[in-house]
Amino acid sequence: MASVLYSVNMNVRKRVGVLISGNGSNLQALINAAYGHDYPAEIALVISNKSNAFGLQRAAKAAIPTYIFDNKAYSNRISFEYDIDLVLRKADCDIVCLAGFMQIFSQKFTEKWEGRILNIHPSLLPCFKGLHPQRQALEAGVKITGCTVHLVTAEVDDGPIILQAAVPVKDKDNEASLSARILEEEHRIYQKGLAILANVLR
Ligand code: GAR
């Protein structure tokens, strides 16, 4: 009986495709969360646009299938996005998580996945969109910054906010020290944000 209940529970987990470009520490946080037997999502696959992204090794270690689509090898964005979309759909993914994926999707792609695509950004959106948000925060002289989990829409670093965490800026902070403290909070809230979305989609 216990094994029947267990398999039923596993079946309702939402299948997640995680897209990365680099280190993949947020990917690791999601992988770790998904080891929890009552976590409502599982990582079905990992896609990177960089063949040397360290996150690919993290995925392989967790026996998660990986795919590399090098955006530079494509003559246009439509075919790049087409291949990503195809792999996600073939694997029956319900949700897409951008985890340090440094590419911008077209409106066509974001509309296809509307309400089912999440991003983590290292600032308290709507402040400091785009590149180097931690540097932007230091240059602006704010005393509090943080990170945001939000749904992805056609506008970059926009879309409905799911969760945020505040991080105080210390007088002695530089970009590296501030980024490291924000990253700790990212790892904490991304898996919570994914669980919220997975439960909503049940
Ligand atoms: C994270 O700080 C993430 O928020 C940021 O890239 C880093 C990836 O780290 N993403 C963006 O800036 C997207 N706008 P990770 O590869 O170790 O997860």
Side-chain angles (χ1 to χ4, degrees):
M1 190 56 173
S3 66
V4 172
L5 285 175
Y6 183 69
S7 69
V8 167
N9 188 33
M10 291 299 284
N11 284 338
V12 298
R13 284 178 155 217
K14 294 297 172 193
R15 291 175 61 76
V16 180
V18 183
L19 274 57
I20 62 167
S21 297
N23 182 26
S25 69
N26 277 292
L27 163 67
Q28 189 68 58
L30 299 181
I31 291 172
N32 294 349
Y35 283 137
H37 76 276
D38 55 353
Y39 193 72
E42 63 181 309
I43 312 304
L45 59 87
V46 171
I47 295 172
S48 175
N49 67 313
K50 301 261 185 207
S51 59
N52 62 351
F54 182 66
L56 290 168
Q57 293 182 41
R58 297 180 189 269
K61 203 170 169 193
I64 296 167
T66 58
Y67 299 84
I68 299 163
F69 297 114
D70 180 354
N71 53 293
K72 289 189 183 141
Y74 288 82
S75 58
N76 61 68
R77 183 125 302 251
I78 293 179
S79 40
F80 172 63
E81 292 181 355
Y82 179 89
D83 282 355
I84 291 176
D85 184 65
L86 194 64
V87 161
L88 291 167
R89 285 176 197 277
K90 273 191 178 169
D92 282 329
C93 287
D94 305 291
I95 296 173
V96 179
C97 281
L98 308 184
F101 185 66
M102 304 311 266
Q103 293 289 309
I104 293 168
F105 282 117
S106 69
Q107 182 166 0
K108 193 175 169 200
F109 186 93
T110 55
E111 280 179 358
K112 262 191 194 169
W113 288 92
E114 189 179 2
R116 295 183 297 139
I117 177 165
L118 286 175
N119 183 40
I120 180 106
H121 185 78
S123 77
L124 291 175
L125 290 173
C127 290
F128 312 132
K129 296 178 177 181
L131 293 175
H132 310 300
Q134 304 94 335
R135 193 186 304 168
Q136 292 183 53
L138 287 169
E139 285 171 0
V142 297
K143 297 297 175 197
I144 295 176
T145 183
C147 51
T148 303
V149 178
H150 67 98
L151 287 165
V152 174
T153 57
E155 289 295 313
V156 176
D157 297 331
D158 208 80
I161 291 170
I162 309 271
L163 275 179
Q164 291 185 307
V167 174
V169 180
K170 298 179 179 170
D171 290 343
K172 61 179 191 317
D173 262 332
N174 56 33
E175 192 176 348
S177 64
L178 180 59
S179 300
R181 285 207 319 288
I182 294 174
L183 203 52
E184 281 178 30
E185 290 301 302
E186 293 184 41
H187 300 160
R188 195 175 62 77
I189 68 167
Y190 207 3
Q191 52 95 8
K192 283 191 178 181
L194 173 57
I196 289 169
L197 181 62
N199 282 323
V200 164
L201 295 177
R202 258 179 204 214

